Amino acid sequence: MNNGEILTCALCTNPLREGELNQLRISNDELKKIRDYQIKKTFDAYSSRTRGIIKCPNQNCLWIAEAADPNERFRVTCPICNKEFCSLCNQQYHYRTTCQQLPQITQRWFFWCQTERGRYLTMRAQQDAAYATQLSDYNRQNNENENRNRDLRRRYDELMNDEKYKADNCRLCPQCKRVVQRLGGCDSMVCGQDAHGGNLQSGCGAKFNWAQAQQYNAAATPQPKQVILDLPKPENPVVHHNGVKCDHCQNDVVGIRFDCVHCPSLTYCEKCEQQATLDHSRENQFLQQQQHVFKLIMVPQEEANQL
Ligand SMILES: [Zn+2]
Ligand SMILES: [Zn+2]
Ligand SMILES: [Zn+2]
Ligand SMILES: [Zn+2]
Ligand SMILES: [Zn+2]
Ligand SMILES: [Zn+2]
């Protein structure tokens, strides 16, 4: 072997990383040892990795753990930095929703708080005098709402940037459907780690080819008009969510149902939602937590199951 020969990956012709190339300033024997070791290591990564890893998404934190079932969605609390996240998408842990649903749910909640709450309450008040209170509360709490919306907009903008970034740069692992990013190296991927052993992300350990993997499709894209298209219309009968109680007024939920996706169990009816979610938002602000997102549910559970 010649001095100055560039080490390549055992599976492709890509040169090894900078740190590994620096190893060239040593004797040929040593170099051969390192090269064999590199090949073995790359090969091992491919043949023996069956379990997945979970990595703390906090960039400044190095915590990594092996996951018994990396395909499962569960709540992880990092024992080092205390960050709480979803094992599949790395976002703040979300209940009763898939990772794929989250961008659209967030977008709908943002539109609701921006413009749609006002539009809906105006519509309802015209039809039902009992909503006059909600509408006047809405107008009275304009400042409070705007304060909340500023925080929510930050969350929404981050989400949209993230969606765009993922659509441009990421693919889906064929096994666990995680959004995987390739920072460099060749097309031979191990979910959670690139072929060259660096670039650790959470992953299931499945081997796949980058070029053949499915591209990430943004689940939410910016909308020119911030409207919710399936808002209940005044001419249709009001929906009853049988057996679902509002955690604020304790009555059965009638109309739109609001579920917090970031709390284990928290539901409000459309009459309480404005005041109750504002209080919830203040609590989270006080705890220096991100704004929680509420999912708007228009169709009762039993009907949704039949669809
Ligand atoms: Zn951490
Ligand atoms: Zn998730
Ligand atoms: Zn390679
Ligand atoms: Zn995977
Ligand atoms: Zn209520
Ligand atoms: Zn919550």
Side-chain angles (χ1 to χ4, degrees):
M1 196 181 346
N2 299 323
N3 237 350
E5 182 182 344
I6 292 171
L7 291 179
T8 57
C9 162
L11 293 143
C12 71
T13 52
N14 274 3
L16 289 175
R17 282 157 189 260
E18 205 50 37
E20 288 150 358
L21 292 175
N22 289 342
Q23 307 277 349
L24 286 168
R25 296 170 216 267
I26 48 170
S27 78
N28 282 352
D29 279 357
E30 277 296 304
L31 185 62
K32 186 176 179 323
K33 252 189 246 161
I34 289 165
R35 196 182 66 151
D36 289 348
Y37 168 71
Q38 276 298 339
I39 292 171
K40 188 179 171 306
K41 199 180 77 177
T42 312
F43 180 77
D44 280 353
Y46 269 77
S47 56
S48 67
R49 275 191 63 126
T50 49
R51 303 188 82 186
I53 51 158
I54 300 294
K55 181 181 179 315
C56 177
N58 177 354
Q59 302 260 306
N60 303 317
C61 176
L62 295 171
W63 183 72
I64 287 180
E66 212 162 353
D69 184 358
N71 296 339
E72 210 184 313
R73 197 174 75 78
F74 51 91
R75 190 176 79 176
V76 189
T77 309
C78 173
I80 294 175
C81 74
N82 273 329
K83 192 179 173 68
E84 261 192 29
F85 58 95
C86 166
S87 63
L88 288 183
C89 72
N90 286 341
Q91 304 282 326
Q92 182 178 7
Y93 186 72
H94 47 101
Y95 296 85
R96 301 170 308 277
T97 45
T98 65
C99 306
Q100 289 75 21
Q101 291 170 328
L102 207 56
Q104 231 217 341
I105 290 171
T106 308
Q107 186 175 55
R108 282 159 71 87
W109 176 239
F110 177 65
F111 289 178
W112 174 259
C113 291
Q114 282 286 105
T115 56
E116 295 298 78
R117 179 185 285 120
R119 190 165 75 90
Y120 183 71
L121 289 178
T122 307
M123 206 160 69
R124 293 286 264 145
Q126 278 163 5
Q127 165 209 29
D128 180 349
Y131 278 80
T133 323
Q134 272 74 24
L135 186 59
S136 71
D137 276 356
Y138 175 76
N139 292 325
R140 196 167 46 80
Q141 293 190 321
N142 216 358
N143 283 345
E144 290 256 35
N145 269 323
E146 259 169 32
N147 184 21
R148 176 232 312 255
N149 290 0
R150 248 197 314 278
D151 266 16
L152 203 56
R153 173 175 282 284
R154 211 173 304 134
R155 181 159 199 158
Y156 175 73
D157 287 344
E158 270 171 32
L159 174 89
M160 295 316 267
N161 287 337
D162 205 44
E163 283 288 288
K164 186 173 167 5
Y165 181 85
K166 285 195 276 190
D168 291 346
N169 299 288
C170 296
R171 303 248 161 137
L172 301 183
C173 164
Q175 185 172 296
C176 70
K177 305 289 175 206
R178 264 193 190 78
V179 180
V180 179
Q181 189 186 353
R182 185 184 59 165
L183 293 178
C186 66
D187 273 0
S188 324
M189 303 285 293
V190 174
C191 177
Q193 186 183 30
D194 71 21
H196 301 258
N199 179 23
L200 279 185
Q201 309 158 21
S202 291
C204 71
K207 301 156 202 169
F208 66 95
N209 185 287
W210 178 261
Q212 284 159 10
Q214 198 189 327
Q215 234 144 8
Y216 179 83
N217 282 322
T221 46
Q223 305 289 322
K225 278 190 184 165
Q226 307 198 328
V227 294
I228 299 172
L229 293 170
D230 59 339
L231 275 191
K233 296 200 167 42
E235 60 267 29
N236 293 339
V238 177
V239 164
H240 288 253
H241 300 262
N242 294 325
V244 180
K245 293 238 180 293
C246 168
D247 287 310
H248 194 255
C249 67
Q250 313 303 329
N251 294 321
D252 270 3
V253 173
V254 174
I256 307 176
R257 166 182 169 187
F258 295 83
D259 271 24
C260 182
V261 300
H262 293 114
C263 282
S265 172
L266 188 63
T267 298
Y268 296 130
C269 73
E270 64 178 36
K271 279 190 174 165
C272 300
E273 160 288 313
Q274 176 173 215
Q275 186 58 55
T277 60
L278 215 47
D279 292 344
H280 194 48
S281 141
R282 270 193 294 253
E283 277 164 27
N284 288 319
Q285 241 165 7
F286 181 74
L287 297 169
Q288 302 197 318
Q289 273 200 24
Q290 269 193 303
Q291 288 281 318
H292 285 190
V293 168
F294 283 79
K295 179 184 179 183
L296 278 71
I297 303 170
M298 318 293 190
V299 183
Q301 206 68 61
E302 62 269 17
E303 279 176 47
N305 290 342
Q306 284 162 16
L307 291 178

